[in-house]
Amino acid sequence: MKKIRFFVVMWLWVGIPFLHAETWQTNEFQLTVNNDGKVTGLYDKVHSTEYGLTESPSPLLQVRINGTFQTPRKMTWNTTSNQMTLHYDTVRAIIQVETKDSHINLTLTDLSPKDLVDRVQWGPIAVAMNQTVREVIGVVSNDIFSIGLQVLNTKTLGGQSPNEEGRDTSRGRTAEKTASGSSLQAYSIDRSRPRSISVWGEHYPNMPVPPIPGETCIGSKIALFGCPAHQTLQRIGQIELAEGLPHPIIDGNWSRMNPNLKRSYLIADFSEQNIDQMLDYAKRGNFLSLYHGGPFKSWGHYELNPRFFPNGKAGMIKCVEKAKALGIRIGVHTLTNFINTNDPYITPIPDSRLAKTGSGFLVSDIDNTQTEIEVKSPEYFNNNKANWLHTVMIGSELIRYGSVTGQSPWILQNCQRGAFGTTASQHKKDTEVAKLMDHPYKVFFPNYEMQSEIAIRLAELFNETGIGHFDFDGHEGCWASGQGDFGIEQFAKVFYDHLKEPVLNGTSNSQPFYWHINTCCNWGEPWYGGFRSSMADYRINNQAMLERNFMPKMLGWFLITPDTTLADIEWLMARSASYDSGFAIATSQQSLQKNPLTNNLLDSISQWESLRLNGAFSDDQKKQMQNTDNEFHLEKIADGNYLLYSYHNSKQYSYEHTVRQPGEPTDAQWEYTSSGRKQPLQFILKADGQSGSLDNAIIEFDNYITFQIPLPVQHGQTLLCDGTNILRLFDEKGRQIKIIQINTPLPEIPPGTHAVSFSCDFTGEPAPKAQMQFKSRDQGQTIHMLKH
């Protein structure tokens, strides 16, 4: 309830607006706005602590007029209507205030005069704490209390207005650290007026952005709340339900509190023909979903590819039903609103609602064969930094051009008429020549109106088939509408609103409203290096951000090839266990069939995942596994009981080419201590340099245990001996390039300290340096599957 003083009651009697500091309260939180329209109080009622900055109060709402933000000069309050009026130099803003037990709603209901303000900014509201800043969801916390700002509709974007486009490439700025603590902020843009702005950063300068009728700043809405820190996530869920926000229930649980959604998933193309085998792989690996990497003929209309699904949707439905019987979801991959050039939106008649970066006009009539087309201006056609398909649309014809002349007359040169299966036609003077927006992936994009149609088309496919998992990969494609992050938020909401049942969904982006729809964010791709090196730091660094924003932690995608080893998989599984993070395995039926270790790999994934999801690993074990240099091995010893072995890596030994007097030994002398038990030799040898190789390398322990390396190691390469009879050679990027089978058993190294000598022949000028590291395994720790 709102705090009421006696003199306030006197004014309530007559219902006349009056001037003073006003206070609103929830059960645990109190907000105060002074008579200047500034926030002076953010009070924790539970612990009697003030987190507002009374000496430097924050504007509750700023308005932008002619490119300049104005802060309010005064605030008046009408007790009858529960409305606050903020007075600026040239306008007034009316805010409807509604107090609830859990939060306080603030809705911008009017601006007078309406046409002066082109955007509004909530805050930034300064908060005197920053121990944990949850940038995506807009919450700041310390050990005992949280204060948050929730955006309550898609027109209200998190952060401070970053640019004319309303596009923020950060993970989130609804909450930010500041010199004095932190701040909470959101903003809205008047999109009802035509604009010409730079879109997608500086890719598309001066792009005309059509108005969205009725989409003004009026209706911008936020919720402010405060609660004990341990109740933060539950409080957000209460706000979702109270305000009609997305609140997906999956398998009977709110998605944000559903532990099953921490599970990993398998990305592999499946078909009507091989679905049973692919589901067997998914079941064996204990995966949540079997996710198809490319099931569509094209993006846009999303017709299923007959190569995989000759019976179309009926075939997909059968795959979904088979998966459901095994407790597995079926997923599909696409790139949000990207449109392939073979899609019906493009060919044979292009849709007039394709996104356009700008237009020119024909100088004269043209027939259907001309390859030199004169336009009145080169603008938009000579944008060489963002022009991959070089395509214009004239009427219902698409035309590709090679270049634009550098001076008047402005001519589109070397034109390909009737591009992408459209019809070459005659066109009259002054006809519009529209430059289509494209992308390095050789795709086009929809405008704002059309992207909603595409979102609905996607939702209908999921409704019809029962597909239960997909990613908003390429979510940034929604910037093509010129509507910035609003376009991203709207695409997800339209998709969600048209689903019959919630669908697991990931993203390549993060937004505060979409957070309520999103299931997880699984950033990190496997294409840029070896299993352990592709975007490794990026993956790890994401985990803290995901955790503080109450999102399931995910490590990204990892690639299983015919050469993937158990050591690689267990390296991943240790990281997964250490952060309690899921992941995706990307592979193919062919890779799984060709890898002789596939069953072992999937069994290992299943065992590690079962232990992780049951909370079987101790905090100390997790801490050890967070070090990516540490390696581990898990062995099952009985039902529910496992041994976790850790590997101990020696220091890195180096050996360089040296010249000595004739007869003097040139081999390196090292001392190495092996831990654990007697075990086969394990080592990593790298040829560190830009030229040459290491040939005829010999390792000798204690003057009698000898192993000769049976191949040269070229500069930049790494040779791995993992204790088996297979040696693996990797290139400078960590990609396996060769497997060497050895016919004699590896020497076994006893525990204890050993004298090691190493020698090799060096080639090249300069020759590479030999870098050697030995590995040994400890006695193991018992891990028990917890009973729940």
Side-chain angles (χ1 to χ4, degrees):
M1 295 293 293
K2 179 167 63 69
K3 185 176 181 179
I4 299 175
R5 301 180 180 87
F6 178 74
F7 71 90
V8 173
V9 174
M10 295 176 62
W11 284 103
L12 281 171
W13 232 167
V14 294
I16 299 173
F18 57 93
L19 197 66
H20 73 103
E22 188 66 27
T23 298
W24 301 269
Q25 301 186 55
T26 69
N27 290 338
E28 302 120 337
F29 173 67
Q30 180 174 292
L31 168 69
T32 301
V33 178
N34 70 9
N35 58 7
D36 293 328
K38 308 294 195 304
V39 176
T40 57
L42 302 167
Y43 188 67
D44 168 8
K45 295 169 61 179
V46 179
H47 307 97
S48 302
T49 303
E50 178 62 74
Y51 292 103
L53 300 183
T54 56
E55 295 181 356
S56 53
S58 311
L60 178 63
L61 182 77
Q62 301 181 67
V63 298
R64 198 179 80 163
I65 300 172
N66 295 326
T68 301
F69 277 103
Q70 295 182 12
T71 59
R73 292 185 292 102
K74 70 175 181 177
M75 180 273 289
T76 56
W77 171 250
N78 189 308
T79 56
T80 303
S81 61
N82 289 326
Q83 289 182 335
M84 173 195 314
T85 299
L86 297 178
H87 302 260
Y88 303 84
D89 291 339
T90 50
V91 299
R92 291 180 301 164
I94 296 178
I95 297 173
Q96 187 73 44
V97 183
E98 183 182 11
T99 58
K100 300 187 177 183
D101 291 343
S102 55
H103 62 285
I104 301 165
N105 277 351
L106 302 171
T107 307
L108 177 63
T109 59
D110 195 23
L111 288 164
S112 179
K114 297 181 185 298
D115 297 333
L116 288 181
V117 177
D118 63 10
R119 65 185 61 195
V120 299
Q121 174 78 56
W122 296 97
I125 299 172
V127 186
M129 71 164 104
N130 64 8
Q131 183 174 327
T132 302
V133 176
R134 310 180 195 276
E135 61 269 59
V136 179
I137 57 172
V139 178
V140 292
S141 308
N142 56 24
D143 289 336
I144 60 173
F145 203 69
S146 291
I147 294 175
L149 181 156
Q150 293 287 287
V151 301
L152 297 182
N153 51 35
T154 57
K155 74 163 59 201
T156 312
L157 302 173
Q160 298 188 52
S161 175
N163 44 51
E164 293 306 300
E165 185 182 3
R167 166 184 171 271
D168 185 353
T169 59
S170 72
R171 289 297 183 212
R173 291 196 176 103
T174 314
E176 282 190 293
K177 282 192 175 185
T178 65
S180 58
S182 59
S183 65
L184 301 170
Q185 51 267 322
Y187 70 99
S188 291
I189 296 175
D190 186 336
R191 304 174 189 276
S192 67
R193 59 188 75 185
R195 297 177 291 154
S196 290
I197 59 175
S198 288
V199 170
W200 214 318
E202 297 302 317
H203 277 86
Y204 305 103
N206 197 35
M207 175 173 151
V209 178
I212 303 175
E215 185 57 45
T216 68
C217 296
I218 294 173
S220 184
K221 186 175 184 179
I222 64 170
L224 292 174
F225 73 93
C227 66
H230 68 278
Q231 296 177 5
T232 305
L233 183 57
Q234 294 92 326
R235 179 56 47 84
I236 294 174
Q238 292 171 358
I239 294 172
E240 286 183 351
L241 292 171
E243 301 303 324
L245 298 179
H247 187 79
I249 302 296
I250 297 174
D251 299 331
N253 294 303
W254 178 35
S255 62
R256 285 290 174 231
M257 290 186 170
N258 189 333
N260 197 44
L261 301 187
K262 297 192 301 181
R263 292 172 61 196
S264 305
Y265 54 100
L266 180 66
I267 302 173
D269 291 352
F270 57 89
S271 67
E272 294 179 46
Q273 289 73 35
N274 73 0
I275 183 63
D276 294 319
Q277 182 179 12
M278 300 310 295
L279 286 173
D280 286 344
Y281 287 135
K283 189 70 175 178
R284 186 160 193 158
N286 191 22
F287 290 109
L288 174 65
S289 299
L290 174 62
Y291 186 99
H292 201 299
F296 302 114
K297 287 173 60 177
S298 66
W299 301 328
H301 276 69
Y302 306 110
E303 295 178 17
L304 292 167
N305 191 332
R307 172 188 164 201
F308 301 111
F309 306 100
N311 293 298
K313 292 177 183 177
M316 175 63 83
I317 290 169
K318 287 185 178 180
C319 292
V320 169
E321 290 172 346
K322 287 184 175 184
K324 187 175 182 180
L326 296 173
I328 297 170
R329 286 178 175 264
I330 288 293
V332 295
H333 192 70
T334 182
L335 267 81
T336 307
N337 68 336
F338 289 37
I339 304 174
N340 292 129
T341 57
N342 63 327
D343 190 81
Y345 280 127
I346 307 300
T347 183
I349 301 175
D351 196 294
S352 62
R353 299 168 299 166
L354 291 170
K356 304 171 182 67
T357 66
S359 297
F361 297 91
L362 291 177
V363 170
S364 59
D365 295 353
I366 63 171
D367 63 23
N368 61 352
T369 63
Q370 283 180 238
T371 58
E372 305 288 301
I373 298 175
E374 186 177 354
V375 291
K376 293 184 178 180
S377 167
E379 187 180 13
Y380 307 116
F381 310 115
N382 60 1
N383 178 8
N384 292 321
K385 64 183 177 182
N387 191 2
W388 295 275
L389 287 173
H390 284 251
T391 302
V392 298
M393 182 162 61
I394 307 178
S396 294
E397 180 186 0
L398 297 185
I399 301 171
R400 300 187 74 180
Y401 63 96
S403 59
V404 185
T405 53
Q407 59 187 11
S408 179
W410 309 110
I411 297 173
L412 306 183
Q413 299 173 312
N414 300 317
C415 293
Q416 300 173 14
R417 303 298 301 273
F420 306 115
T422 61
T423 300
S425 307
Q426 299 177 357
H427 303 287
K428 294 293 186 181
K429 176 184 177 181
D430 293 327
T431 299
E432 181 185 43
V433 183
K435 175 66 179 70
L436 295 187
M437 181 181 288
D438 55 21
H439 186 272
Y441 285 13
K442 303 299 177 68
V443 294
F444 296 115
F445 293 98
N447 68 7
Y448 177 75
E449 174 193 355
M450 186 180 173
Q451 81 165 31
S452 292
E453 181 178 300
I454 289 176
I456 294 170
R457 187 181 295 278
L458 261 179
E460 289 174 344
L461 172 69
F462 283 57
N463 293 337
E464 292 172 23
T465 61
I467 296 169
H469 187 181
F470 108 116
D471 276 351
F472 288 98
D473 195 7
H475 209 164
E476 69 276 5
C478 296
W479 290 331
S481 65
Q483 301 297 346
D485 292 342
F486 175 73
I488 288 176
E489 296 277 39
Q490 273 292 99
F491 190 96
K493 184 177 186 298
V494 171
F495 172 77
Y496 180 84
D497 287 346
H498 286 83
L499 291 172
K500 292 180 180 178
E501 298 290 339
V503 166
L504 306 188
N505 63 94
T507 184
S508 59
N509 207 290
S510 53
Q511 299 290 338
F513 187 90
Y514 171 63
W515 180 92
H516 301 287
I517 296 169
N518 168 250
T519 308
C520 70
C521 296
N522 197 21
W523 294 304
E525 298 181 3
W527 326 118
Y528 309 111
F531 194 91
R532 310 183 192 201
S533 59
S534 182
M535 304 177 74
D537 291 340
Y538 173 80
R539 299 169 189 270
I540 299 300
N541 292 339
N542 280 330
Q543 304 313 299
M545 187 280 291
L546 295 171
E547 182 173 28
R548 65 177 172 262
N549 285 285
F550 302 115
M551 304 161 85
K553 288 173 286 181
M554 302 293 284
L555 287 166
W557 295 18
F558 293 84
L559 193 63
I560 286 186
T561 71
D563 303 320
T564 302
T565 67
L566 182 61
D568 287 332
I569 289 296
E570 292 203 292
W571 179 89
L572 165 61
M573 300 314 300
R575 267 72 269 173
S576 171
S578 68
Y579 293 98
D580 191 15
S581 300
F583 53 88
I585 290 292
T587 188
S588 67
Q589 181 184 24
Q590 292 75 18
S591 292
L592 294 173
Q593 288 174 337
K594 289 179 179 179
N595 192 315
L597 299 174
T598 288
N599 287 343
N600 292 338
L601 304 184
L602 295 175
D603 289 344
S604 179
I605 291 172
S606 178
Q607 291 167 4
W608 279 90
E609 283 285 88
S610 294
L611 291 170
R612 174 178 75 88
L613 295 167
N614 277 273
F617 296 103
S618 69
D619 289 342
D620 183 62
Q621 289 165 342
K622 291 179 182 179
K623 185 175 181 180
Q624 293 178 47
M625 289 188 283
Q626 286 179 2
N627 185 336
T628 56
D629 291 331
N630 293 340
E631 297 184 70
F632 299 84
H633 173 63
L634 190 69
E635 283 187 8
K636 187 174 183 178
I637 55 177
D639 286 344
N641 292 310
Y642 298 81
L643 276 176
L644 178 67
Y645 297 98
S646 62
Y647 289 90
H648 297 276
N649 296 328
S650 71
K651 69 177 183 180
Q652 186 166 276
Y653 302 97
S654 294
Y655 178 46
E656 298 182 59
H657 178 55
T658 57
V659 178
R660 297 182 181 173
Q661 64 183 359
E664 182 179 355
T666 59
D667 55 332
Q669 301 295 320
W670 303 325
E671 184 177 274
Y672 162 61
T673 301
S674 177
S675 61
R677 58 191 179 186
K678 188 175 183 180
Q679 55 195 281
L681 171 66
Q682 297 186 63
F683 66 85
I684 299 173
L685 173 62
K686 181 178 181 181
D688 186 14
Q690 301 300 314
S691 62
S693 63
L694 310 175
D695 299 351
N696 303 315
I698 298 175
I699 311 169
E700 187 172 80
F701 291 80
D702 302 323
N703 296 317
Y704 76 97
I705 302 175
T706 303
F707 178 71
Q708 182 165 356
I709 295 174
L711 78 163
V713 181
Q714 302 293 330
H715 62 91
Q717 293 180 346
T718 300
L719 182 70
L720 170 66
C721 174
D722 62 1
T724 69
N725 64 343
I726 292 177
L727 302 180
R728 299 176 186 272
L729 190 65
F730 299 85
D731 67 13
E732 69 278 359
K733 292 187 177 181
R735 296 172 296 203
Q736 183 171 297
I737 55 176
K738 192 173 184 180
I739 292 177
I740 304 93
Q741 186 93 23
I742 54 176
N743 298 321
T744 57
L746 287 169
E748 293 205 336
I749 310 302
T753 301
H754 304 279
V756 181
S757 67
F758 176 85
S759 64
C760 69
D761 297 329
F762 294 93
T763 68
E765 287 293 340
K769 179 192 298 185
Q771 293 187 336
M772 174 71 78
Q773 193 170 36
F774 299 106
K775 292 172 58 177
S776 58
R777 197 166 81 182
D778 69 5
Q779 299 288 357
Q781 307 172 53
T782 302
I783 305 290
H784 303 285
M785 185 75 74
L786 302 181
K787 303 293 184 181
H788 291 287

